[in-house]
Amino acid sequence: MSDVLIHTHGTPGKKIGHISLNRPKAIHSLTMDMCEAMIAALLEWRDDEEVKAVVFDHAEGRGFCAGGDVTLLRNSALEDGGKTGAAFFYREYQLNHLLFTFPKPVIAFMDGITMGGGVGIAQPAQYRVVTENTRYAMPETGIGLICDVGGGWYLSRLPGQLGKFLGLTGARLDGSECLWAGLGTHYLDSVATAEAKARITEDPDRIEMILGSLAVEPSEPRLRGNMAQIDRLFAGDTLAEIIAALEADGGEWAGKELRTLRTKSPMTCALVLRQLREGVRASTFAENMAMEFRAASRTIMLPDFAEGVRALLVDKTGDPAWSPANVADIDPRAVDAVFAPLPPEEEWKPL
């Protein structure tokens, strides 16, 4: 059975392309083959006048999509000097950019776990449907990786200090929080998603009306009540400044976030802060993705990535030994090196 189900529905002259992720045992995490298949389908539909829109969803299970193939990336770091990992990033980022620039409406049904690589597929979509099942996060600092797949663009453009907060802590947002933050565009009860897809198939020219008519008012987003603290305590430019602000606050919320931050890779947190500064300065999404390719392809070769994946996913001991272990020991020159230009022939380019 294919790891991604791709087909078209509809009537002659008015069809939709349908991409359904189908790796339920891996929560639909993306492989190179899945990226290649999606790129091929999108390129075909982009030039097919009968295809009016594209729907992304998942076939079954707790998806939408839990991320990328981090086991492949770790094996690449340990076995082939990161070459296979870099090739995966290169192609995945071409998929992200293709979606960002796609000339037809894309609808992502984020009805479940949407993390990492799943964010990279969902966030470029014009319509991003969230439900009571949505669990949205960029949790990469917990495995020693930057918030790639466009995180430098998306997170840096969120209100206030929200992007820093999400990128550093890996906080999980529910559907109501995603809608409030603008990460989702419509909140539907999960039972209504099948009707939404059926009606969009019948009339892909009326997507906005269909989703609007099925949308419901979610519960009050907890995130709204935390934004004053997020903006105040995550305002620092450096990880040391943010940790100092959390320590000085002494409150319950600050204490919880401080404990969370102390479980993350200090080096990767520093890289994410640099990534967000670079991302907000990028004039195009392609410029951002070239920056992220340089950083991600080098970050997987740092010791924290193999160690983070070992602790979280391989041995499942939850006890990563980060290097360096302390914020004060991060070498600014090492951060600069991660973001330095590559030789021209190795730089990332869109399709």
Side-chain angles (χ1 to χ4, degrees), residues 46 50 70 144 158 186 194 253 262 268 272 306 310 348 351:
R46 185 180 65 181
E50 290 200 342
V70 293
L158 289 175
H186 296 79
W253 187 89
R262 284 177 169 156
T268 311
V272 167
R310 177 206 66 77
W348 180 89
L351 288 165

Side-chain angles (χ1 to χ4, degrees), residues 92-144:
E92 183 185 22
Y93 297 178
Q94 287 186 323
L95 171 62
N96 301 146
H97 184 267
L98 177 59
L99 284 165
F100 190 92
T101 58
F102 205 69
K104 301 176 182 182
V106 177
I107 311 98
F109 285 87
M110 300 151 59
D111 181 31
I113 294 171
T114 305
M115 298 183 183
V119 172
I121 293 174
Q123 210 58 58
Q126 182 178 350
Y127 301 100
R128 301 178 298 278
V129 178
V130 293
T131 73
E132 75 278 6
N133 297 324
T134 300
R135 296 294 179 271
Y136 183 109
M138 294 293 275
E140 286 80 5
T141 55
I143 57 167

Side-chain angles (χ1 to χ4, degrees), residues 22-305:
N22 191 41
R23 288 185 73 211
K25 292 182 180 178
I27 319 180
H28 313 293
S29 295
L30 304 179
T31 65
M32 177 71 94
D33 286 346
M34 292 168 75
C35 292
E36 293 282 8
M38 289 187 278
I39 287 171
L42 288 166
L43 290 175
E44 179 183 339
W45 294 337
R46 185 180 65 181
D47 300 327
D48 185 341
E49 292 183 0
E50 290 200 342
V51 175
K52 304 300 182 184
V54 176
V55 166
F56 274 83
D57 64 9
H58 69 281
E60 61 175 296
R62 296 187 295 136
F64 184 57
C65 173
D69 192 347
V70 293
T71 302
L72 173 146
L73 296 173
R74 181 176 189 266
N75 290 341
S76 176
L78 295 174
E79 297 169 7
D80 71 6
K83 291 180 181 178
T84 304
F88 175 77
F89 285 138
Y90 199 101
R91 203 60 169 152
E92 183 185 22
Y93 297 178
Q94 287 186 323
L95 171 62
N96 301 146
H97 184 267
L98 177 59
L99 284 165
F100 190 92
T101 58
F102 205 69
K104 301 176 182 182
V106 177
I107 311 98
F109 285 87
M110 300 151 59
D111 181 31
I113 294 171
T114 305
M115 298 183 183
V119 172
I121 293 174
Q123 210 58 58
Q126 182 178 350
Y127 301 100
R128 301 178 298 278
V129 178
V130 293
T131 73
E132 75 278 6
N133 297 324
T134 300
R135 296 294 179 271
Y136 183 109
M138 294 293 275
E140 286 80 5
T141 55
I143 57 167
L145 186 61
I146 64 166
C147 301
D148 64 333
V149 297
W153 182 274
Y154 300 118
L155 294 180
S156 68
R157 286 162 174 79
L158 289 175
Q161 304 301 326
L162 181 56
K164 276 189 210 171
F165 170 70
L166 295 179
L168 292 176
T169 68
R172 298 188 180 193
L173 305 187
D174 63 23
S176 67
E177 293 171 313
C178 288
L179 184 71
W180 178 80
L183 296 165
T185 61
H186 296 79
Y187 186 100
L188 272 63
D189 288 328
S190 59
V191 293
T193 58
E195 181 182 351
K197 285 177 263 189
R199 288 173 60 181
I200 289 169
T201 299
E202 291 174 6
D203 196 352
D205 294 326
R206 303 183 72 192
I207 298 167
E208 181 75 43
M209 185 279 294
I210 292 166
L211 293 177
S213 69
L214 292 171
V216 296
E217 188 70 25
S219 59
E220 173 69 15
R222 181 182 56 175
L223 186 63
R224 191 205 304 265
N226 291 335
M227 275 305 297
Q229 295 184 91
I230 290 171
D231 284 347
R232 177 169 56 86
L233 298 173
F234 283 79
D237 291 329
T238 68
L239 183 59
E241 289 171 348
I242 292 169
I243 288 175
L246 291 168
E247 288 175 337
D249 180 271
E252 181 180 350
W253 187 89
K256 178 173 70 71
E257 299 308 328
L258 181 61
R259 289 190 294 275
T260 296
L261 263 188
R262 284 177 169 156
T263 68
K264 309 301 183 183
S265 157
M267 180 63 174
T268 311
C269 286
L271 295 178
V272 167
L273 288 173
R274 172 69 173 270
Q275 175 196 1
L276 297 184
R277 289 196 296 273
E278 297 283 342
V280 80
R281 289 196 291 259
S283 58
T284 65
F285 190 66
E287 183 183 337
N288 177 83
M289 297 315 295
M291 173 271 291
E292 290 190 9
F293 178 74
R294 296 172 197 136
S297 59
R298 289 174 172 135
T299 301
I300 62 170
M301 296 305 298
L302 298 177
D304 279 1
F305 179 69

